[in-house]
Amino acid sequence: MQSTTVDLNAKIPNNVGLADDPKLLRALEKWLPRYLEWWHDMGPTDFEDKPVFLRTAVSVSTDGWAHYDHVRMPDYRWGIFLNPREEESEIRCGDDAGKPAWHEIPGEHRNALRRIIVTQADTEPASVEQQRMLGHMAPSLYDLRNLFQVNVEEGRHLWAMVYLLHKYFGRDGRDEADELLERRSGDVDKPRILGAFNQPCDHWLSFFAFTMFTDRDGKYQLAALAQSGFDPLARTTEFMLTEEAHHLFVGETGLDRIIKRSAELEQIDPNGDIRNQGGIDFDLIQRTINYWFTYSLDLFGGEISSNAADFFAAGLKGRYREDRLDEHRALGQEYRLNVVDGGKLTERDVPLRNAMNEVLRDSYVKDCERALRKWNRTLEAAGSKTRLTLPSRRFHRHQGIYTDHFFNPEGQLITADQWEANKHRWVLTPADNDYLLSIMKPVYEPGKFANWIAAPTRGIDGQPLDFEYVKLHD
Amino acid sequence: MLRMAVSFFAGMDSADTNDNEFVVEFDTDPSRYRHWRVSYDGPVAHLEMCVDPDGGMKPGYELKLNSYDLGVDIELADVVRRMRFEHPEVRTVMVTSGTDNVFCAGANIHMLASSTHAWKVNFCKFTNETRCELEDADAYSRQVYLCGANGTCAGGGYELALACREIYLQDDGSSAVSLPEVPLLGVLPGTGGLTRLVDKRKIRRDRADVFSTTAEGIRGKKAVKWRLVDGIYPRSRFMEKLRARAATVAAETAEGLGDGERVGIKLGSLDPVMEGSTRTYRYVELSWDDEARTANLTIKGPSAEDVALLGEGAAALHRAGDQLWALRAFRELDDALLYLRFNLHAIGLCLVRAVGDAATILAHDEALWALRDGWLGNEVLRHMARVLRRFDLSSRSFFALGDAGTAFAGCLLELALASDRFYLLDDPDHPVQTGLSVFNEGTMPMTHGLSRVQAHLHGEPELLEALAGRRGLLDPEESDDAGLVTVLLDDIDWEDDIRVAIEERASLSPDALTGMEANLRFPGAENEHSKIFARLSAWQNWIFIRPNATGGQGALSLYGKPERPTFDWKRV
Ligand SMILES: [Fe+2]
Ligand SMILES: [Fe+2]
């Protein structure tokens, strides 16, 4: 397909002055057809022609960022938005904290910024790829719509990052933007950059866990980048956070609804056997939490990291809500870390800047603990005795200082043999996946929900639950 | 904890990293490797780098991501040497990583940052010599190294790759080759990295400039286009493709190699005896006097039996194996030189003596030369040449002392020519002879390709011409007339003059001497290898001591620390 410049500008809602930026227009003109091709190959292709009740951001104003309508996904208007800022932006952390923010790329930080942006950008199309077949086993039209909403917004997040690459990184940026469309989740030869984004996400329990735990990593990464001294990056990620909130809502409430339904089935069954009732038992839910929480912890990077220190020192990436802290240099301070030394768990103090990944992970873990408390209240209200827990951050890690050791979910060091003997109790197994796939049959009738999940408390944008969120028969 | 090849002097506090307290030994063998796996499949060998993070030679750093320290490189050097002697059937060596997602992250930064200047310099020189040995094996033993970078290949990792004939990179969207030393550490990729980019791989110098300042490096098709690698292979078929390439190269390399089945010989340990300040081998002895800051290095020439054995031909040579004088004596010499470099920091002057019978040495050389077409004869000669080059490149003053009982002839005359000065005794009561053999005619070239006689007489073409093709014994006066001798002394002057020369030398600035000797030893044109060592001495070693690298605010000192470097922007 060939679009003219004029078409493009009308097609791409934006507040970045696209119409007056011939260089950017030219770059996007080339990239857009490749993007659509990728979407067609790797997106939710089988539902391409179905109108979906989607939220589209058409401007950054209060009424503009959430515009609802039925649209076919390839016609979705992927826009480019920077969050408006009242005050003059500042560098918020590191050695230059308090100085004016950069509106162009500072040469000395160009490579680091490119790496940060490409790593973030790569996760966006990756999750679309991971989720591309889930539409075929959606538990309801409401959930199907939520899946597609997440998908198109991850697509838009890719746009947001590609905008930065095209606008600020010249030819290298264009090459990187192309490669973002060439890597494939789980591909042995061209995998996505980060581990969790190459894990299969082949049923809805994983989908909800992914949006709960992995998208939440995204939230914290975006929040840290929203503190960046590179103003366009900070404002882009700030806007992305508004959309990300919905993804987290989908994950957290999705799991909550499953937990609620399982508790109901536990009551219904004479032996309290949830599986007997076609539901998802709590052990399996716990294994799912263990699995996705820990893969998501890996995404924060090494516990002791010179990159993290450099990014912070240079003002490229802050802490969660850095702007609300009193002190922004983080020098001469230490962070106490649990480390394995000589086969034993001990504590070590590391310079705070080098521990910035761990500091961000702390904020994330706290947020996850909050969700766990909420789910346990659901269990309590439903009369179940079961309580779910978050495993230790040392458990089941594939990145960082705990990688080469074995821990139980409580975080105690164990042997490799103990791990082998127990891992089927602790993390998702192939048998789990088989069972889940066996119960996940699509439910496409408006207002109906699969047996293994409870209905949500309300619909989308004030619509009733039996609203036709996806028009499958037009 | 057992540390390979390192022992501590009693009372050393292991938390305090002071290099001077280490005794480094270079003897190792495959049963003791901690960092490499080697497997053999006919003409193709597979060398896998799998560095044990806890196997660092010194305390205070972890060898993460296949980063290396001296201990890792000592094993590599051992692999390369044994490949030639123990596995002469091998034509191609595939070098890959046995560690996930990373080929090699280069020299360990924390090790460098916590090391003394002398340690860094010694380490860099040794690693450079090993890289040159890889290329030497390709050039003279038809053992071709192919690098299969199955993961990130950074800094010293890429320099190792550059020493291989061909480089293949995994094409997975993230594995890159890079030289991040300048942008990240404020030092140079000094293990031949820069020189090999432009001289060996003939990468355009402007592109080399871009590459060497881009910390994350270059990957995929662009790496091929810029000639940084020879090809890219997909991850799923990486080893399959590399094996296929190795098989092809092995077949091409074996072409015309007509000496039948090759069976290697074993290289046993040298087991020197340490007694006080003396290290004694079978043919070599190194002793030192800490107070006078001088050492004595003595090598015993071959016996008549050694010569007779060579006369029996290739089979006898093979039977003698590592007990052969030419191999054993030069391995001992090599070990002694390394011991001097790494463990005797304050010894500035080394007095060299070759003892034995000059005529026997000349006969030995001719007999060994006659066996050069067999693989083992060739290896023995190439090994001698490498040891002599290690001598040329050692930053100690060397005075060869040709007093009574010495015999600087043939291969051992090379030691006198390699020394900074050659004093020869002219005493009719104790006649001392020197002698010329084929080994003085360029068969044991210096790093920059000249014979030591050529380098010696660089400015005296008539003398050089007069020596062309001349073989046989020379008496002291003839030696002097031929231009081989620095000072000819009679027995009355000898003792005093030598004592004064030694004391004077030992009093001069060691830094100035190192620089001066490195300049004077290599007259004539440079080549790739000599450039590598020259630039290492001149630039890398200078940068290493500059505040911008190793000062409190320097980039190397602060790497991995929370603070960012502060540079003194003045260009020097
Ligand atoms: Fe996203
Ligand atoms: Fe998301």
Side-chain angles (χ1 to χ4, degrees):
Chain A
M1 93 177 242
Q2 194 61 48
S3 351
T4 70
T5 307
V6 182
D7 287 344
L8 265 187
N9 191 47
K11 215 173 164 213
I12 305 173
N14 72 87
N15 71 341
V16 296
L18 185 57
D20 309 316
D21 193 337
K23 192 177 140 214
L24 184 59
L25 273 172
R26 206 171 54 220
L28 283 175
E29 225 170 88
K30 289 214 179 87
W31 190 78
L32 176 66
R34 286 184 202 150
Y35 170 79
L36 288 173
E37 206 177 297
W38 166 80
W39 181 269
H40 176 71
D41 289 346
M42 296 311 296
T45 312
D46 302 333
F47 296 86
E48 237 172 23
D49 58 342
K50 311 296 182 210
V52 184
F53 189 64
L54 290 177
R55 174 179 78 177
T56 307
V58 292
S59 81
V60 293
S61 64
T62 346
D63 53 343
W65 80 274
H67 179 86
Y68 286 90
D69 207 354
H70 274 101
V71 263
R72 290 178 177 85
M73 284 182 277
D75 300 332
Y76 187 79
R77 295 168 72 207
W78 283 287
I80 302 169
F81 298 104
L82 303 183
N83 230 30
R85 279 212 176 150
E86 305 273 300
E87 73 288 9
E88 186 55 34
S89 303
E90 282 182 356
I91 298 170
R92 288 178 175 172
C93 63
D95 297 339
D96 298 321
K99 292 190 185 158
W102 305 292
H103 296 278
E104 293 291 332
I105 296 269
E108 61 173 317
H109 302 316
R110 185 178 190 274
N111 288 332
L113 277 167
R114 187 179 61 188
R115 183 166 159 196
I116 289 172
I117 290 169
V118 167
T119 308
Q120 176 61 41
D122 194 63
T123 66
E124 314 289 358
S127 59
V128 175
E129 291 163 2
Q130 285 168 293
Q131 297 160 10
R132 68 184 301 255
M133 301 314 284
L134 292 174
H136 293 293
M137 50 182 112
S140 72
L141 288 185
Y142 165 89
D143 289 292
L144 186 60
R145 175 266 165 209
N146 281 350
L147 167 70
F148 294 153
Q149 182 70 53
V150 170
N151 289 165
V152 292
E153 282 174 353
E154 298 304 6
R156 202 203 69 74
H157 291 174
L158 173 61
W159 273 78
M161 294 288 108
V162 163
Y163 157 73
L164 294 176
L165 290 171
H166 278 166
K167 170 90 181 163
Y168 295 100
F169 292 89
R171 199 171 131 191
D172 288 355
R174 291 197 292 279
D175 289 348
E176 294 283 6
D178 288 344
E179 285 186 47
L180 285 167
L181 299 177
E182 285 164 18
R183 286 188 284 269
R184 293 285 181 271
S185 175
D187 190 298
V188 277
D189 290 328
K190 294 266 181 196
R192 292 292 171 182
I193 296 170
L194 298 169
F197 292 91
N198 290 304
Q199 300 303 318
C201 180
D202 33 30
H203 47 69
W204 279 73
L205 183 57
S206 279
F207 170 66
F208 288 131
F210 183 94
T211 39
M212 163 70 206
F213 291 111
T214 309
D215 274 72
R216 197 170 302 271
D217 154 72
K219 169 186 165 178
Y220 283 86
Q221 298 302 331
L222 293 175
L225 295 177
Q227 305 292 337
S228 179
F230 180 44
D231 185 64
L233 175 62
R235 290 167 56 196
T236 306
T237 47
E238 241 169 51
F239 189 79
M240 289 160 76
L241 279 167
T242 58
E243 292 161 321
E244 207 60 50
H246 176 65
H247 310 178
L248 304 182
F249 164 84
V250 169
E252 188 174 328
T253 59
L255 285 171
D256 192 56
R257 287 160 55 209
I258 293 177
I259 290 163
K260 187 175 169 203
R261 181 61 182 157
S262 296
E264 285 168 12
L265 294 172
E266 190 182 36
Q267 306 280 331
I268 292 169
D269 192 84
N271 302 315
D273 185 343
I274 300 169
R275 278 206 194 198
N276 192 38
Q277 298 295 323
I280 304 173
D281 53 282
F282 293 120
D283 287 345
L284 176 42
I285 293 172
Q286 183 66 58
R287 285 197 289 278
T288 307
I289 293 171
N290 293 353
Y291 180 90
W292 284 105
F293 172 64
T294 51
Y295 264 115
S296 306
L297 287 174
D298 284 340
L299 298 172
F300 288 81
E303 283 76 5
I304 309 167
S305 162
S306 51
N307 275 334
D310 287 347
F311 293 166
F312 184 89
L316 307 181
K317 190 176 172 186
R319 285 166 284 189
Y320 184 59
R321 298 191 169 159
E322 181 75 42
D323 53 331
R324 299 191 195 175
L325 302 175
D326 298 329
E327 198 281 326
H328 302 295
R329 284 180 201 272
L331 273 176
Q333 302 169 58
E334 310 236 279
Y335 182 96
R336 183 153 293 181
L337 206 58
N338 285 305
V339 298
V340 182
D341 194 9
K344 277 209 288 286
L345 209 51
T346 60
E347 290 183 327
R348 189 201 297 170
D349 288 333
V350 297
L352 180 58
R353 280 187 177 183
N354 295 65
M356 282 303 171
N357 289 338
E358 194 63 8
V359 170
L360 195 60
R361 197 159 13 226
D362 282 339
S363 305
Y364 169 82
V365 171
K366 233 184 253 162
D367 194 7
C368 293
E369 283 166 351
R370 180 200 50 74
L372 261 291
R373 282 197 298 275
K374 202 166 156 217
W375 296 337
N376 283 332
R377 279 200 299 277
T378 299
L379 284 167
E380 197 178 355
S384 173
K385 286 199 198 60
T386 302
R387 294 293 177 269
L388 298 164
T389 55
L390 214 49
S392 158
R393 68 177 77 186
R394 296 186 286 278
F395 171 74
H396 187 241
R397 292 290 301 277
H398 299 82
Q399 289 286 324
I401 57 176
Y402 306 120
T403 307
D404 296 324
H405 307 282
F406 296 98
F407 295 92
N408 63 18
E410 289 73 45
Q412 294 155 326
L413 263 173
I414 55 172
T415 64
D417 290 342
Q418 286 171 315
W419 167 258
E420 279 304 317
N422 286 291
K423 67 176 182 189
H424 68 283
R425 301 196 300 127
W426 290 339
V427 289
L428 280 178
T429 66
D432 289 340
N433 288 331
D434 292 346
Y435 173 68
L436 291 166
L437 289 172
S438 78
I439 61 167
M440 292 198 180
K441 303 293 175 230
V443 177
Y444 291 149
E445 198 179 319
K448 289 263 184 302
F449 289 84
N451 174 49
W452 50 267
I453 190 166
T457 45
R458 71 177 83 86
I460 297 292
D461 193 35
Q463 301 293 343
L465 288 182
D466 61 359
F467 181 70
E468 199 174 7
Y469 287 105
V470 183
K471 293 183 179 169
L472 294 177
H473 319 284
D474 233 11
Chain B
M1 181 156 95
L2 194 98
R3 283 171 196 278
M4 192 274 307
V6 176
S7 50
F8 296 91
F9 279 137
M12 181 191 165
D13 175 8
S14 67
D16 174 29
T17 307
N18 185 341
D19 308 325
N20 294 328
E21 315 230 15
F22 276 95
V23 176
V24 185
E25 291 285 358
F26 290 79
D27 179 54
T28 185
D29 65 68
S31 71
R32 286 184 274 166
Y33 293 166
R34 286 187 77 167
H35 308 295
W36 299 88
R37 276 198 299 262
V38 204
S39 54
Y40 302 91
D41 182 9
V44 177
H46 187 188
L47 175 57
E48 280 179 288
M49 188 176 200
C50 20
V51 177
D52 175 0
D54 299 324
M57 201 172 203
K58 304 190 288 169
Y61 55 85
E62 259 184 286
L63 296 175
K64 286 185 194 157
L65 301 171
N66 260 3
S67 60
Y68 60 84
D69 68 352
L70 180 66
V72 177
D73 228 74
I74 287 174
E75 290 183 12
L76 175 62
D78 192 68
V79 169
V80 175
R81 197 162 317 139
R82 285 181 199 278
M83 196 68 74
R84 297 172 81 162
F85 282 102
E86 300 189 353
H87 294 277
E89 77 283 3
V90 168
R91 300 275 66 81
T92 310
V93 184
M94 303 184 291
V95 186
T96 69
S97 159
T99 302
D100 266 355
N101 295 326
V102 58
F103 171 71
C104 169
N108 187 279
I109 313 295
H110 302 289
M111 177 278 294
L112 284 176
S114 66
S115 296
T116 59
H117 182 65
W119 182 277
K120 287 199 278 281
V121 172
N122 260 329
F123 166 74
C124 287
K125 190 180 280 180
F126 182 79
T127 56
N128 264 308
E129 286 169 328
T130 306
R131 307 300 172 275
C132 291
E133 285 197 31
L134 248 70
E135 292 178 330
D136 194 71
D138 183 330
Y140 300 112
S141 299
R142 295 214 207 175
Q143 280 187 340
V144 180
Y145 284 77
L146 300 182
C147 173
N150 50 341
T152 294
C153 180
Y158 184 53
E159 293 178 304
L160 174 60
L162 285 168
C164 298
R165 187 194 285 187
E166 295 175 5
I167 308 171
Y168 297 95
L169 177 64
Q170 183 165 292
D171 185 25
D172 52 16
S174 65
S175 294
V177 293
S178 65
L179 291 176
E181 282 84 347
V182 171
L184 279 192
L185 307 172
V187 298
L188 297 185
T191 312
L194 297 177
T195 306
R196 285 196 176 89
L197 277 186
V198 288
D199 274 34
K200 181 181 184 182
R201 294 195 67 90
K202 306 208 166 28
I203 289 159
R204 259 170 38 195
R205 52 163 284 220
D206 51 349
R207 284 179 168 172
D209 179 288
V210 172
F211 175 65
S212 309
T213 49
T214 306
E216 65 184 54
I218 291 180
R219 59 180 193 258
K221 292 188 195 95
K222 189 169 173 186
V224 180
K225 191 171 166 217
W226 283 28
R227 294 219 288 260
L228 295 162
V229 302
D230 294 281
I232 47 177
Y233 296 152
R235 193 162 82 146
S236 56
R237 304 183 58 201
F238 190 80
M239 277 318 295
E240 174 198 338
K241 292 249 183 195
L242 188 67
R243 273 180 217 289
R245 180 65 195 149
T248 307
V249 173
E252 284 168 11
T253 310
E255 237 164 76
L257 207 63
D259 60 353
E261 198 200 344
R262 297 176 165 206
V263 180
I265 62 160
K266 281 269 163 278
L267 296 181
S269 286
L270 299 171
D271 296 325
V273 175
M274 291 287 290
E275 239 177 49
S277 297
T278 307
R279 187 172 172 90
T280 310
Y281 307 78
R282 187 183 304 165
Y283 301 115
V284 171
E285 185 183 276
L286 177 70
S287 63
W288 58 96
D289 177 343
D290 289 316
E291 211 157 311
R293 297 191 300 281
T294 55
N296 287 289
L297 178 64
T298 305
I299 181 166
K300 241 183 269 168
S303 65
E305 292 78 62
D306 292 322
V307 181
L309 181 134
L310 293 175
E312 293 169 31
L317 190 74
H318 199 272
R319 267 199 310 282
D322 67 346
Q323 301 307 309
L324 194 74
W325 177 84
L327 181 53
R328 169 113 197 167
F330 275 74
R331 285 181 69 209
E332 292 176 358
L333 180 59
D334 199 38
D335 191 72
L337 287 169
L338 288 171
Y339 192 88
L340 176 65
R341 277 191 194 176
F342 279 85
N343 300 321
L344 304 177
H345 298 279
I347 303 298
L349 173 61
C350 182
L351 306 171
V352 184
R353 285 184 183 81
V355 298
D357 178 65
T360 311
I361 300 171
L362 295 187
H364 166 272
D365 288 2
E366 296 305 326
L368 182 57
W369 182 244
L371 299 174
R372 67 187 178 277
D373 291 334
W375 75 265
L376 183 55
N378 176 56
E379 288 308 339
V380 171
L381 295 176
R382 300 297 175 189
H383 177 259
M384 294 166 81
R386 287 198 300 283
V387 175
L388 289 168
R389 285 196 287 273
R390 176 108 70 203
F391 188 107
D392 295 328
L393 289 167
S394 294
S395 63
R396 298 291 189 279
S397 298
F398 288 105
F399 285 178
L401 299 184
D403 49 11
T406 63
F408 284 102
C411 60
L412 298 184
L413 176 64
E414 290 292 297
L415 292 174
L417 296 170
S419 295
D420 300 293
R421 299 184 191 175
F422 180 20
Y423 290 93
L424 188 60
L425 176 68
D426 185 15
D427 176 3
D429 294 339
H430 298 98
V432 181
Q433 289 178 308
T434 72
L436 293 162
S437 79
V438 60
F439 292 160
N440 309 115
E441 294 171 1
T443 49
M444 314 247 151
M446 299 175 70
T447 309
H448 64 327
L450 298 192
S451 74
R452 284 178 192 77
V453 170
Q454 280 172 326
H456 210 78
L457 300 175
H458 185 64
E460 298 176 77
E462 317 78 46
L463 286 179
L464 190 60
E465 195 153 324
L467 277 184
R470 180 166 172 192
R471 295 184 189 174
L473 296 168
L474 285 76
D475 65 28
E477 208 146 320
E478 286 173 313
S479 306
D480 192 30
D481 291 343
L484 301 176
V485 179
T486 314
V487 185
L488 195 64
L489 291 171
D490 61 29
D491 57 328
I492 300 166
D493 291 334
W494 180 268
E495 201 156 325
D496 253 8
D497 277 37
I498 295 296
R499 181 184 58 77
V500 170
I502 291 170
E503 284 175 7
E504 180 201 51
R505 188 65 162 203
S507 73
L508 297 176
S509 156
D511 296 337
L513 286 177
T514 295
M516 182 191 84
E517 290 154 5
N519 271 283
L520 301 183
R521 284 179 193 171
F522 300 93
E526 290 201 75
N527 66 6
E528 188 188 306
H529 282 181
S530 70
K531 274 162 113 176
I532 288 171
F533 289 103
R535 281 155 180 61
L536 176 71
S537 317
W539 292 111
Q540 176 75 314
N541 294 349
W542 174 72
I543 291 166
F544 267 156
I545 57 155
R546 292 278 299 158
N548 283 338
T550 51
Q553 302 296 305
L556 187 63
S557 309
L558 290 183
Y559 182 78
K561 299 235 168 76
E563 300 87 8
R564 286 191 297 162
T566 311
F567 293 133
D568 172 354
W569 293 111
K570 284 194 289 295
R571 279 274 188 144
V572 179

